[in-house]
Amino acid sequence: MTDRIPLALVGIGKIARDQHIPSIAGGNDFVVSVAVSRHGKVEGAENFTDFDAFLAARPDIKVVSLCTPPEVRFDMAKAAIAAGRHVLMEKPPATTLGEAEALTKLAEDAGVTLFATWHSRFALGVEPARQWLSDKVIQSISIVWKEDVRRWHPGQDWIWEPGGFGVFDPGINALSILTEIVPGHIMVEKSVIEFPENKKQPIAASIAMRTVDGAPISAEFDWRQEGPQTWDITVQTNAGELRLSKGGSELYIGGVEHASGPDREYAGIYERFAKLIRARQSDTDYQPLRIVADSFLCGERKVVASFED
């Protein structure tokens, strides 16, 4: 076993506690040596409330994992890169493509690793789905991604503010899988985006897209789903139907289960990050973010009833 790499975890909120901390602890590559958060702390780590203070005080910590909301991530990532740190960014990596692309160039110039993560790409069924589709003719794709915001984002007001992404915060997970399993670029044709009259970010979206070869893609995102949650991608091909369910953790081909198992998405992220650092490489695919931006550009805005979360 190689020595664990000391890491600073920034933004100690729900996603850090639910996913990042246990995945790092359960892996062999990193150890949380520093935590940076205005409110949260990590037991056994040195805790800071100010990011710049951390950078100045701990030049020995060369790896930073940013779990903050996206609207504050650019300045932190820029400062970390300038200080020679390797940076992992939670999804979505930035609030705009301009910010994301600027960070890629800054990391390249500084010679550090930048990893724009898409955790759903590490779901168990995604890679075998990509492999199976690689020599098939895709005829159509349907995405249904519906969940209850009150269950998954309790008290997180930032998701309704500018830069918070609204329903595209979970929806971009579906887009990250889509762009992983389908070769070539995905193009948005039109969309209808629903905004509650009391919110600044959308609660639902219907998007019509197509592949480079012209296969139609439909996506339905909704944050008002009660009861069972739905995270499905169905692909019709010349060789039959492929379906990814439960966010990519289950794969069915022709109705027969081909892959299922426990969640290892964030474990996969940190394994990938360690390999990138050791190889002195970066991974900054922003295609899911581009599709979100294009959906707004091609979208019809629809105001719907107020929503109380």
Side-chain angles (χ1 to χ4, degrees):
M1 182 187 301
T2 58
D3 291 337
R4 289 176 179 250
I5 303 169
L7 174 146
L9 192 63
V10 184
I12 311 302
K14 188 175 188 300
I15 195 66
R17 295 196 182 281
D18 289 353
Q19 297 289 353
H20 288 262
I21 292 173
S23 295
I24 293 168
N28 298 320
D29 296 301
F30 299 98
V31 59
V32 178
S33 297
V34 168
V36 185
S37 178
R38 288 180 298 174
H39 305 294
K41 292 186 176 182
V42 174
E43 186 177 352
E46 183 178 5
N47 289 275
F48 291 82
T49 58
D50 182 81
F51 187 69
D52 290 333
F54 146 67
L55 290 176
R58 294 298 306 269
D60 58 310
I61 303 296
K62 300 299 185 183
V63 178
V64 174
S65 179
L66 296 178
C67 307
T68 62
E71 66 266 23
V72 300
R73 202 170 293 149
F74 175 79
D75 288 340
M76 287 183 170
K78 180 182 175 182
I81 291 168
R85 317 300 168 94
H86 305 293
V87 178
L88 178 152
M89 298 184 292
E90 246 289 2
K91 64 85 192 172
T95 56
T96 67
L97 275 171
E99 286 184 349
E101 291 170 351
L103 291 174
T104 296
K105 183 63 166 60
L106 289 169
E108 180 181 344
D109 291 345
V112 298
T113 292
L114 181 65
F115 184 21
T117 66
W118 304 104
H119 65 80
S120 291
R121 288 181 173 176
F122 292 86
L124 192 64
V126 173
E127 177 56 21
R130 186 195 67 78
Q131 294 179 14
W132 189 83
L133 289 170
S134 63
D135 61 353
K136 308 298 188 297
V137 177
I138 294 174
Q139 298 169 337
S140 66
I141 302 173
S142 172
I143 300 171
V144 180
W145 217 258
K146 298 181 178 182
E147 63 182 56
D148 187 350
V149 64
R150 290 160 292 202
R151 181 189 303 187
W152 302 103
H153 297 274
Q156 295 182 348
D157 294 336
W158 62 266
I159 56 175
W160 297 111
E161 295 299 322
F165 282 77
V167 76
F168 284 102
D169 181 78
I172 207 168
N173 293 333
L175 299 176
S176 73
I177 295 175
L178 175 69
T179 51
E180 181 72 5
I181 66 175
V182 176
H185 273 57
I186 304 298
M187 293 163 287
V188 177
E189 294 184 320
K190 62 181 179 179
S191 64
V192 177
I193 304 176
E194 299 184 14
F195 288 77
E197 58 185 3
N198 62 331
K199 304 291 186 183
K200 298 174 184 176
Q201 291 294 324
I203 197 168
S206 299
I207 311 168
M209 298 170 277
R210 59 184 168 89
T211 67
V212 170
D213 294 328
I217 305 169
S218 66
E220 297 291 332
F221 301 153
D222 202 316
W223 245 356
R224 298 165 293 197
Q225 177 95 335
E226 298 181 1
Q229 309 287 275
T230 305
W231 302 290
D232 292 339
I233 299 177
T234 304
V235 185
Q236 302 295 341
T237 80
N238 63 325
E241 179 185 279
L242 177 148
R243 178 164 56 90
L244 284 164
S245 292
K246 297 183 179 178
S249 64
E250 296 181 359
L251 170 64
Y252 299 86
I253 298 174
V256 178
E257 185 177 283
H258 279 246
S260 66
D263 173 24
R264 289 198 79 254
E265 293 181 15
Y266 281 84
I269 280 176
Y270 281 100
E271 289 168 5
R272 171 70 172 152
F273 191 32
K275 289 177 181 177
L276 288 170
I277 291 171
R278 290 170 178 139
R280 299 181 180 274
Q281 296 175 346
S282 289
D283 183 349
T284 55
D285 174 19
Y286 300 127
Q287 198 176 176
L289 184 59
R290 178 190 57 76
I291 294 175
V292 172
D294 288 353
S295 296
F296 279 94
L297 285 171
C298 298
E300 171 191 344
R301 180 187 176 105
K302 182 179 179 181
V303 178
V304 296
S306 295
F307 179 79
E308 301 301 329
D309 50 348

